[in-house]
Amino acid sequence: MLSITKRRRSFRYADQSNSGSGSIYEYEDCFVGLTDDLPLVSCGNYCGKTMTLKEVLRSSVGVMGESPLGLTEKVVLLKSQMFAVKRLRMTVVRRNEFGKRVEKLAQVSKKCEYLVPIAAYLYTKRIKFILCEYFPMGSLADLLAGARKYGHTALNWNQRLKIILSIARAIEFIHRQNPNERKIKMNVHGNIKSSNVMIKIDFSACLSDYGFTQLAERVELPRKRQLKPPPHQVPPPSYLIYREELSQKADIYNFGVVIMDILAGSRFSTFKKCILEVKEEITEGRIEFFEFALDTRERMRASQILDIALACTNLSAEGRPSIEQILLFLGDAIIK
Protein backbone atom coordinates (compact mmCIF):
# COMPACT_ATOMS: atom_id res chain seq x y z
CA MET A 1 0.00 0.00 0.00
CA LEU A 2 1.15 3.53 -0.66
CA SER A 3 1.72 6.35 1.76
CA ILE A 4 1.18 9.76 0.20
CA THR A 5 2.53 12.92 1.74
CA LYS A 6 1.83 16.34 0.28
CA ARG A 7 4.87 18.62 0.45
CA ARG A 8 4.41 22.06 -1.04
CA ARG A 9 3.69 21.46 -4.73
CA SER A 10 4.66 17.80 -4.86
CA PHE A 11 3.67 14.41 -3.52
CA ARG A 12 5.90 11.75 -2.03
CA TYR A 13 5.11 8.20 -3.13
CA ALA A 14 6.68 5.74 -0.74
CA ASP A 15 6.73 2.01 -1.36
CA GLN A 16 6.56 0.68 2.21
CA SER A 17 8.13 -2.58 1.10
CA ASN A 18 11.32 -0.60 0.54
CA SER A 19 11.80 0.79 4.04
CA GLY A 20 9.60 3.77 3.31
CA SER A 21 11.95 5.26 0.74
CA GLY A 22 10.40 7.09 -2.19
CA SER A 23 10.86 9.70 -4.85
CA ILE A 24 9.29 13.11 -5.23
CA TYR A 25 7.28 13.82 -8.36
CA GLU A 26 5.84 17.10 -9.48
CA TYR A 27 2.22 17.97 -8.77
CA GLU A 28 1.17 17.48 -12.41
CA ASP A 29 2.67 13.94 -12.51
CA CYS A 30 0.90 12.45 -9.51
CA PHE A 31 -0.32 8.88 -9.87
CA VAL A 32 -1.84 6.82 -7.13
CA GLY A 33 -1.41 3.11 -7.81
CA LEU A 34 -3.94 0.70 -6.36
CA THR A 35 -2.41 -2.65 -7.34
CA ASP A 36 0.85 -4.28 -6.31
CA ASP A 37 1.57 -5.51 -9.84
CA LEU A 38 1.72 -2.01 -11.33
CA PRO A 39 5.03 -0.59 -10.05
CA LEU A 40 5.36 1.97 -12.83
CA VAL A 41 2.24 3.71 -11.56
CA SER A 42 2.34 3.02 -7.85
CA CYS A 43 5.96 4.03 -7.39
CA GLY A 44 6.37 6.37 -10.35
CA ASN A 45 9.44 4.44 -11.49
CA TYR A 46 9.86 1.37 -13.68
CA CYS A 47 13.15 -0.14 -14.83
CA GLY A 48 14.93 3.05 -13.81
CA LYS A 49 12.61 5.27 -15.87
CA THR A 50 10.28 7.85 -14.42
CA MET A 51 6.75 7.63 -15.79
CA THR A 52 5.37 11.15 -16.22
CA LEU A 53 1.88 12.35 -16.99
CA LYS A 54 3.01 13.53 -20.41
CA GLU A 55 4.36 10.08 -21.28
CA VAL A 56 1.12 8.39 -20.23
CA LEU A 57 -0.98 10.76 -22.31
CA ARG A 58 1.31 10.30 -25.30
CA SER A 59 1.00 6.52 -24.96
CA SER A 60 -2.69 6.66 -25.91
CA VAL A 61 -3.25 4.67 -29.09
CA GLY A 62 -6.83 5.65 -29.72
CA VAL A 63 -10.23 6.50 -28.34
CA MET A 64 -12.32 3.38 -27.69
CA GLY A 65 -15.51 5.12 -26.63
CA GLU A 66 -17.19 8.34 -25.59
CA SER A 67 -19.97 8.95 -23.11
CA PRO A 68 -21.48 11.88 -21.18
CA LEU A 69 -18.98 11.09 -18.39
CA GLY A 70 -15.87 11.25 -20.55
CA LEU A 71 -13.58 9.42 -22.96
CA THR A 72 -12.24 5.88 -22.82
CA GLU A 73 -8.81 5.43 -24.38
CA LYS A 74 -6.47 2.51 -24.82
CA VAL A 75 -2.93 3.11 -23.58
CA VAL A 76 0.20 1.00 -23.92
CA LEU A 77 2.70 1.67 -21.14
CA LEU A 78 6.18 0.31 -20.48
CA LYS A 79 6.77 -3.39 -21.10
CA SER A 80 3.71 -3.32 -23.40
CA GLN A 81 1.26 -3.19 -20.51
CA MET A 82 -2.16 -2.22 -21.85
CA PHE A 83 -4.84 -0.36 -19.90
CA ALA A 84 -8.07 1.49 -20.50
CA VAL A 85 -8.01 5.10 -19.35
CA LYS A 86 -11.32 6.64 -18.31
CA ARG A 87 -10.73 10.36 -18.76
CA LEU A 88 -13.47 12.25 -16.90
CA ARG A 89 -14.78 15.53 -18.26
CA MET A 90 -16.11 17.18 -15.11
CA THR A 91 -15.70 15.78 -11.60
CA VAL A 92 -18.20 16.48 -8.83
CA VAL A 93 -15.78 16.21 -5.89
CA ARG A 94 -12.45 17.73 -4.95
CA ARG A 95 -9.08 15.98 -4.94
CA ASN A 96 -9.13 14.33 -1.50
CA GLU A 97 -12.71 13.09 -1.77
CA PHE A 98 -12.10 11.90 -5.33
CA GLY A 99 -9.16 9.81 -4.16
CA LYS A 100 -11.07 8.32 -1.24
CA ARG A 101 -13.97 7.32 -3.45
CA VAL A 102 -11.84 5.77 -6.18
CA GLU A 103 -9.78 3.82 -3.65
CA LYS A 104 -12.94 2.47 -2.02
CA LEU A 105 -14.41 1.49 -5.39
CA ALA A 106 -11.13 -0.23 -6.25
CA GLN A 107 -11.13 -2.19 -2.98
CA VAL A 108 -14.66 -3.46 -3.62
CA SER A 109 -14.06 -4.20 -7.32
CA LYS A 110 -11.08 -6.44 -6.71
CA LYS A 111 -13.23 -8.73 -4.55
CA CYS A 112 -15.53 -9.63 -7.46
CA GLU A 113 -14.42 -11.40 -10.64
CA TYR A 114 -17.32 -9.79 -12.51
CA LEU A 115 -16.17 -6.19 -11.97
CA VAL A 116 -13.41 -4.48 -13.94
CA PRO A 117 -10.38 -3.90 -11.66
CA ILE A 118 -9.13 -0.35 -11.10
CA ALA A 119 -5.34 -0.09 -11.29
CA ALA A 120 -4.66 3.57 -10.54
CA TYR A 121 -6.00 7.09 -10.76
CA LEU A 122 -4.72 10.58 -11.38
CA TYR A 123 -6.15 13.93 -10.31
CA THR A 124 -4.62 17.18 -11.53
CA LYS A 125 -6.02 20.63 -12.09
CA ARG A 126 -6.53 19.94 -15.79
CA ILE A 127 -6.88 16.18 -16.11
CA LYS A 128 -8.61 13.50 -14.06
CA PHE A 129 -8.55 9.89 -15.11
CA ILE A 130 -8.87 6.34 -13.85
CA LEU A 131 -6.69 3.51 -15.13
CA CYS A 132 -8.57 0.22 -15.52
CA GLU A 133 -7.84 -3.26 -16.81
CA TYR A 134 -7.96 -3.53 -20.60
CA PHE A 135 -10.07 -6.21 -22.33
CA PRO A 136 -8.92 -7.04 -25.90
CA MET A 137 -12.35 -8.48 -26.82
CA GLY A 138 -13.90 -5.07 -26.25
CA SER A 139 -17.36 -4.35 -24.95
CA LEU A 140 -20.68 -6.11 -25.46
CA ALA A 141 -21.81 -3.11 -27.52
CA ASP A 142 -18.76 -3.55 -29.79
CA LEU A 143 -19.46 -7.25 -30.37
CA LEU A 144 -23.15 -6.75 -31.06
CA ALA A 145 -22.49 -3.81 -33.40
CA GLY A 146 -19.78 -5.77 -35.22
CA ALA A 147 -22.23 -8.54 -36.05
CA ARG A 148 -25.10 -6.22 -36.98
CA LYS A 149 -23.24 -3.59 -38.99
CA TYR A 150 -20.18 -5.34 -40.36
CA GLY A 151 -21.21 -9.00 -40.62
CA HIS A 152 -18.80 -10.29 -37.97
CA THR A 153 -19.55 -13.67 -36.41
CA ALA A 154 -22.58 -13.26 -34.17
CA LEU A 155 -22.60 -14.41 -30.56
CA ASN A 156 -24.34 -17.76 -30.15
CA TRP A 157 -26.94 -18.52 -27.50
CA ASN A 158 -24.55 -20.04 -24.94
CA GLN A 159 -22.23 -17.05 -25.19
CA ARG A 160 -25.10 -14.60 -24.74
CA LEU A 161 -26.44 -16.55 -21.77
CA LYS A 162 -22.99 -16.55 -20.14
CA ILE A 163 -22.76 -12.78 -20.54
CA ILE A 164 -26.23 -12.27 -19.03
CA LEU A 165 -25.32 -14.41 -16.02
CA SER A 166 -22.04 -12.56 -15.50
CA ILE A 167 -23.80 -9.18 -15.49
CA ALA A 168 -26.42 -10.46 -13.04
CA ARG A 169 -23.73 -11.74 -10.65
CA ALA A 170 -21.89 -8.41 -10.83
CA ILE A 171 -25.10 -6.55 -9.98
CA GLU A 172 -25.85 -8.95 -7.12
CA PHE A 173 -22.40 -8.33 -5.65
CA ILE A 174 -22.82 -4.56 -5.90
CA HIS A 175 -26.34 -4.55 -4.45
CA ARG A 176 -25.09 -6.46 -1.38
CA GLN A 177 -22.59 -3.76 -0.46
CA ASN A 178 -22.98 -1.38 2.46
CA PRO A 179 -25.37 1.35 1.21
CA ASN A 180 -23.42 4.40 2.32
CA GLU A 181 -19.72 4.69 2.94
CA ARG A 182 -17.49 7.77 2.56
CA LYS A 183 -20.42 9.80 1.19
CA ILE A 184 -20.86 7.39 -1.71
CA LYS A 185 -23.55 4.79 -2.44
CA MET A 186 -21.59 1.57 -2.71
CA ASN A 187 -24.65 -0.61 -3.40
CA VAL A 188 -25.56 1.00 -6.74
CA HIS A 189 -23.71 0.80 -10.06
CA GLY A 190 -25.38 3.80 -11.67
CA ASN A 191 -24.40 3.28 -15.32
CA ILE A 192 -25.22 -0.25 -16.53
CA LYS A 193 -25.30 -0.41 -20.33
CA SER A 194 -23.90 -2.57 -23.14
CA SER A 195 -20.84 -0.37 -23.66
CA ASN A 196 -19.89 -0.87 -19.97
CA VAL A 197 -20.01 -4.67 -20.22
CA MET A 198 -16.48 -5.87 -21.02
CA ILE A 199 -16.07 -9.32 -22.56
CA LYS A 200 -13.40 -11.85 -21.59
CA ILE A 201 -11.91 -14.42 -23.95
CA ASP A 202 -14.14 -17.16 -22.46
CA PHE A 203 -17.21 -14.92 -23.03
CA SER A 204 -17.83 -14.27 -19.39
CA ALA A 205 -18.21 -10.57 -18.70
CA CYS A 206 -17.18 -7.80 -16.31
CA LEU A 207 -19.03 -4.59 -15.51
CA SER A 208 -16.96 -1.42 -15.81
CA ASP A 209 -17.53 2.13 -14.53
CA TYR A 210 -18.86 0.94 -11.17
CA GLY A 211 -19.61 4.09 -9.13
CA PHE A 212 -18.15 6.47 -11.73
CA THR A 213 -21.39 8.45 -11.94
CA GLN A 214 -20.67 9.53 -8.36
CA LEU A 215 -17.31 10.94 -9.45
CA ALA A 216 -18.21 12.92 -12.54
CA GLU A 217 -21.05 14.95 -13.97
CA ARG A 218 -22.76 13.95 -17.20
CA VAL A 219 -22.00 16.40 -19.99
CA GLU A 220 -24.31 16.57 -22.98
CA LEU A 221 -22.38 15.55 -26.07
CA PRO A 222 -22.63 17.70 -29.19
CA ARG A 223 -24.78 16.11 -31.85
CA LYS A 224 -23.05 15.10 -35.04
CA ARG A 225 -24.03 17.32 -37.91
CA GLN A 226 -26.13 15.59 -40.54
CA LEU A 227 -26.40 17.09 -44.02
CA LYS A 228 -29.56 15.11 -44.72
CA PRO A 229 -31.55 13.74 -41.79
CA PRO A 230 -32.55 10.09 -42.27
CA PRO A 231 -36.13 9.82 -43.56
CA HIS A 232 -38.84 8.95 -41.04
CA GLN A 233 -36.34 9.26 -38.19
CA VAL A 234 -38.01 8.84 -34.82
CA PRO A 235 -36.49 9.02 -31.33
CA PRO A 236 -35.98 5.71 -29.51
CA PRO A 237 -39.00 4.69 -27.43
CA SER A 238 -38.86 5.47 -23.70
CA TYR A 239 -38.48 1.82 -22.76
CA LEU A 240 -35.20 1.57 -24.72
CA ILE A 241 -33.53 4.54 -23.01
CA TYR A 242 -31.27 3.81 -20.06
CA ARG A 243 -32.32 5.22 -16.71
CA GLU A 244 -29.93 7.70 -15.10
CA GLU A 245 -31.31 7.67 -11.54
CA LEU A 246 -28.88 6.48 -8.89
CA SER A 247 -30.88 3.58 -7.48
CA GLN A 248 -30.96 -0.20 -7.47
CA LYS A 249 -34.28 -0.19 -9.34
CA ALA A 250 -32.67 1.89 -12.11
CA ASP A 251 -29.84 -0.68 -12.25
CA ILE A 252 -32.46 -3.41 -12.73
CA TYR A 253 -34.21 -1.46 -15.48
CA ASN A 254 -30.93 -0.90 -17.32
CA PHE A 255 -30.07 -4.58 -16.96
CA GLY A 256 -33.38 -5.36 -18.66
CA VAL A 257 -32.49 -3.04 -21.55
CA VAL A 258 -29.12 -4.82 -21.90
CA ILE A 259 -30.88 -8.21 -21.99
CA MET A 260 -33.22 -6.93 -24.71
CA ASP A 261 -30.20 -5.75 -26.68
CA ILE A 262 -28.60 -9.20 -26.31
CA LEU A 263 -31.76 -11.07 -27.30
CA ALA A 264 -33.29 -9.02 -30.07
CA GLY A 265 -31.54 -5.70 -30.64
CA SER A 266 -33.61 -3.34 -32.76
CA ARG A 267 -36.28 -6.00 -33.31
CA PHE A 268 -37.47 -5.48 -29.76
CA SER A 269 -38.87 -2.01 -30.49
CA THR A 270 -41.17 -3.53 -33.12
CA PHE A 271 -42.72 -6.05 -30.74
CA LYS A 272 -42.64 -4.39 -27.31
CA LYS A 273 -46.26 -3.20 -27.24
CA CYS A 274 -47.72 -6.48 -28.46
CA ILE A 275 -45.12 -8.93 -27.20
CA LEU A 276 -47.43 -10.59 -24.67
CA GLU A 277 -50.00 -11.17 -27.39
CA VAL A 278 -47.50 -12.88 -29.67
CA LYS A 279 -45.40 -14.59 -26.99
CA GLU A 280 -46.59 -18.06 -28.00
CA GLU A 281 -45.62 -17.43 -31.62
CA ILE A 282 -42.18 -16.19 -30.51
CA THR A 283 -41.62 -19.26 -28.33
CA GLU A 284 -42.66 -21.60 -31.13
CA GLY A 285 -40.53 -19.77 -33.69
CA ARG A 286 -43.43 -18.65 -35.88
CA ILE A 287 -42.34 -15.03 -35.37
CA GLU A 288 -38.70 -14.13 -35.93
CA PHE A 289 -37.84 -12.20 -32.80
CA PHE A 290 -34.41 -13.41 -31.62
CA GLU A 291 -31.49 -12.30 -33.80
CA PHE A 292 -29.51 -15.56 -33.51
CA ALA A 293 -30.08 -19.21 -34.35
CA LEU A 294 -31.83 -21.37 -31.72
CA ASP A 295 -32.95 -24.96 -31.48
CA THR A 296 -36.28 -25.79 -29.83
CA ARG A 297 -34.88 -26.14 -26.30
CA GLU A 298 -32.78 -22.99 -26.55
CA ARG A 299 -35.76 -21.03 -27.87
CA MET A 300 -37.76 -22.04 -24.80
CA ARG A 301 -34.99 -20.81 -22.49
CA ALA A 302 -34.55 -17.59 -24.44
CA SER A 303 -38.30 -16.96 -24.13
CA GLN A 304 -38.05 -17.35 -20.35
CA ILE A 305 -35.20 -14.86 -20.20
CA LEU A 306 -37.29 -12.53 -22.37
CA ASP A 307 -39.87 -12.64 -19.56
CA ILE A 308 -37.13 -11.53 -17.13
CA ALA A 309 -36.20 -8.61 -19.39
CA LEU A 310 -39.84 -7.53 -19.60
CA ALA A 311 -40.13 -7.62 -15.81
CA CYS A 312 -36.94 -5.59 -15.42
CA THR A 313 -38.16 -2.88 -17.81
CA ASN A 314 -41.46 -2.44 -16.00
CA LEU A 315 -42.17 1.30 -16.02
CA SER A 316 -43.17 1.01 -12.35
CA ALA A 317 -40.02 0.72 -10.22
CA GLU A 318 -41.96 -1.19 -7.56
CA GLY A 319 -42.93 -3.78 -10.15
CA ARG A 320 -39.33 -4.66 -11.04
CA PRO A 321 -37.78 -7.77 -9.45
CA SER A 322 -34.74 -7.68 -7.16
CA ILE A 323 -31.46 -9.04 -8.46
CA GLU A 324 -31.86 -12.04 -6.13
CA GLN A 325 -35.19 -12.87 -7.76
CA ILE A 326 -33.65 -12.42 -11.20
CA LEU A 327 -30.88 -14.90 -10.44
CA LEU A 328 -33.47 -17.43 -9.26
CA PHE A 329 -35.42 -16.96 -12.50
CA LEU A 330 -32.21 -17.29 -14.53
CA GLY A 331 -31.37 -20.51 -12.69
CA ASP A 332 -34.79 -21.93 -13.52
CA ALA A 333 -34.46 -20.93 -17.16
CA ILE A 334 -31.09 -22.65 -17.46
CA ILE A 335 -32.13 -25.87 -15.71
CA LYS A 336 -35.35 -26.40 -17.68
Side-chain angles (χ1 to χ4, degrees), residues 270-319:
T270 305
F271 290 96
K272 168 69 176 178
K273 292 183 179 179
C274 61
I275 197 166
L276 295 178
E277 299 174 11
V278 298
K279 184 68 189 303
E280 185 177 346
E281 287 88 339
I282 291 174
T283 303
E284 294 175 357
R286 285 183 281 145
I287 289 181
E288 221 173 293
F289 177 78
F290 303 108
E291 64 172 11
F292 47 94
L294 291 162
D295 60 31
T296 303
R297 187 179 180 186
E298 290 172 343
R299 186 175 295 277
M300 182 67 70
R301 291 178 175 177
S303 297
Q304 291 174 319
I305 291 180
L306 175 59
D307 288 336
I308 296 172
L310 290 170
C312 290
T313 52
N314 191 321
L315 293 180
S316 169
E318 293 73 21

Side-chain angles (χ1 to χ4, degrees), residues 252-276:
I252 297 299
Y253 184 94
N254 292 342
F255 178 45
V257 176
V258 171
I259 295 176
M260 289 299 184
D261 196 15
I262 292 172
L263 294 181
S266 60
R267 296 181 185 181
F268 171 63
S269 60
T270 305
F271 290 96
K272 168 69 176 178
K273 292 183 179 179
C274 61
I275 197 166
L276 295 178

Side-chain angles (χ1 to χ4, degrees), residues 105 108-116 166-180 184-192 196 206-212 214 246-248 251-252 323-324 327:
L105 292 169
V108 174
S109 297
K110 71 179 182 181
K111 297 176 183 177
C112 179
E113 62 180 305
Y114 301 108
L115 292 177
V116 172
S166 296
I167 301 170
R169 287 166 179 158
I171 296 172
E172 181 198 28
F173 179 83
I174 292 170
H175 285 192
R176 285 193 283 107
Q177 298 305 307
N178 185 28
N180 294 292
I184 182 172
K185 289 185 176 181
M186 300 301 300
N187 67 336
V188 177
H189 183 283
N191 198 21
I192 295 171
N196 284 337
C206 286
L207 266 180
S208 71
D209 288 32
Y210 164 47
F212 287 9
Q214 298 181 73
L246 193 62
S247 69
Q248 292 189 347
D251 281 352
I252 297 299
I323 191 60
E324 290 78 13
L327 281 168

Side-chain angles (χ1 to χ4, degrees), residues 102-141:
V102 174
E103 289 177 19
K104 185 58 184 177
L105 292 169
Q107 290 171 10
V108 174
S109 297
K110 71 179 182 181
K111 297 176 183 177
C112 179
E113 62 180 305
Y114 301 108
L115 292 177
V116 172
I118 297 174
Y121 68 89
L122 179 144
Y123 189 113
T124 72
K125 183 177 180 180
R126 295 172 299 163
I127 299 172
K128 292 89 177 169
F129 65 63
I130 301 172
L131 205 66
C132 301
E133 185 175 323
Y134 172 72
F135 290 79
M137 293 278 286
S139 70
L140 172 62

